[in-house]
């Protein structure tokens, strides 16, 4: 069984929140359908404690159309990731692994770099009209909902949460936009000291 989010920002994204489950097991498929329908496979009869997680028809129709273009768009994301890795030459930026096997299996939903000066870098890019995101600024074990894990020491996780920055990656990015992003990232002295291009 495999599950996937179809949140709008995903490679295959709906107009709103959603998800999909695939399986070759008919009995498991029946249980999953029931769980998404209040735990019911027959109206007003609940076999499980379920949720209302049914996808509406407009979302399904939208995704059906987008699915036709998914392979092409994923390949474009791979091209962008490869371009970033080949052209971002900056000792202050750590790039993700793009080894041969990784290159052909990663769908590059996000493109995450690391920098000790992440906040300055993000502000510099923002000042130059490049939007970035931090996935995720607070590690899960430090969230209020997981207080029981607060005393665990995870120095690598904490370090990463202070360094990661997601660069723009989308099938609609043009070569001019990519070149500009890379150019800005090569300008060490400018973002280190918080100055605009």
């Amino acid at each position: 069984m495999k599950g996937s989010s179809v949140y709008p920002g995903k490679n295959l994204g709906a107009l709103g929140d959603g998800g999909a489950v695939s399986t070759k097991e008919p009995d498991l498929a029946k249980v999953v359908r029931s769980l998404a329908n209040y735990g019911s496979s027959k109206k007003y009869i609940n076999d499980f404690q379920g949720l209302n997680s049914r996808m509406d028809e407009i979302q399904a129709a939208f995704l059906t159309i987008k699915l036709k273009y998914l392979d092409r768009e994923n390949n474009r994301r791979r091209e962008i990731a490869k371009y970033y890795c080949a052209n971002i030459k900056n000792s202050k930026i750590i790039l993700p692994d793009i080894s041969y096997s990784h290159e052909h299996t990663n769908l590059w939903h996000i493109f995450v770099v690391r920098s000790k000066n992440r906040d300055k870098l993000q502000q510099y890019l923002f000042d130059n009209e490049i939007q970035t995101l931090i996935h995720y600024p607070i590690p899960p074990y430090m969230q209020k909902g997981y207080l029981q894990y607060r005393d665990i020491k995870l120095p690598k996780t904490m370090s990463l949460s202070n360094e990661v920055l997601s660069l723009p990656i989308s099938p609609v990015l043009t070569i001019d936009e990519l070149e500009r992003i890379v150019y800005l990232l090569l300008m060490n002295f400018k973002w280190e000291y918080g100055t605009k291009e």
Side-chain angles (χ1 to χ4, degrees):
M1 178 174 83
K2 293 184 180 180
S4 178
S5 167
V6 291
Y7 179 79
K10 298 290 181 144
N11 293 33
L12 178 63
L15 296 170
D17 284 336
V21 176
S22 62
T23 179
K24 293 181 180 180
E25 304 293 328
D27 291 341
L28 182 56
K30 185 177 177 184
V31 170
V32 170
R33 280 192 201 95
S34 292
L35 289 170
N37 186 39
Y38 303 109
S40 172
S41 57
K42 185 175 181 184
K43 195 165 187 160
Y44 303 122
I45 297 175
N46 301 82
D47 299 316
F48 309 100
Q49 293 180 12
L51 304 165
N52 180 4
S53 298
R54 301 178 306 250
M55 183 181 295
D56 62 70
E57 289 82 1
I58 192 76
Q59 300 289 355
F62 183 72
L63 289 168
T64 300
I65 293 167
K66 286 189 75 178
L67 191 58
K68 297 173 189 173
Y69 306 99
L70 184 61
D71 286 340
R72 183 181 73 195
E73 291 186 355
N74 283 338
N75 286 333
R76 178 64 182 142
R77 287 175 180 272
R78 287 186 180 112
E79 289 170 6
I80 292 167
K82 196 171 182 178
Y83 182 88
Y84 277 148
C85 287
N87 292 285
I88 297 173
K89 306 293 185 195
N90 188 317
S91 62
K92 305 217 184 276
I93 297 174
I94 300 169
L95 298 169
D97 175 24
I98 194 161
S99 61
Y100 179 80
S101 61
H102 198 241
E103 177 186 352
H104 290 83
T105 57
N106 194 325
L107 298 178
W108 299 103
H109 163 57
I110 55 177
F111 187 89
V112 180
V113 297
R114 291 171 38 213
S115 175
K116 298 282 186 197
N117 298 316
R118 187 265 316 275
D119 295 338
K120 286 183 180 179
L121 174 58
Q122 185 178 40
Q123 185 61 52
Y124 166 70
L125 291 171
F126 177 80
D127 290 343
N128 284 281
E129 301 178 350
I130 305 296
Q131 183 181 1
T132 60
L133 289 172
I134 299 171
H135 293 92
Y136 293 83
I138 303 170
Y141 80 101
M142 295 298 291
Q143 299 282 357
K144 186 177 179 182
Y146 298 97
L147 290 176
Q148 68 269 31
Y149 301 115
R150 278 273 168 110
D151 294 331
I152 295 174
K153 302 294 181 213
L154 299 173
K156 184 75 170 174
T157 299
M158 289 305 295
S159 174
L160 288 172
S161 73
N162 292 314
E163 295 177 2
V164 294
L165 184 67
S166 297
L167 298 181
I169 187 162
S170 165
V172 300
L173 278 176
T174 66
I175 190 66
D176 288 343
E177 291 167 329
L178 285 172
E179 286 175 351
R180 182 163 183 273
I181 293 166
V182 168
Y183 170 76
L184 290 168
L185 293 174
L186 297 178
M187 306 298 286
N188 266 8
F189 65 94
K190 296 199 177 213
W191 60 265
E192 249 189 303
Y193 298 104
T195 57
K196 289 184 74 170
E197 178 187 8

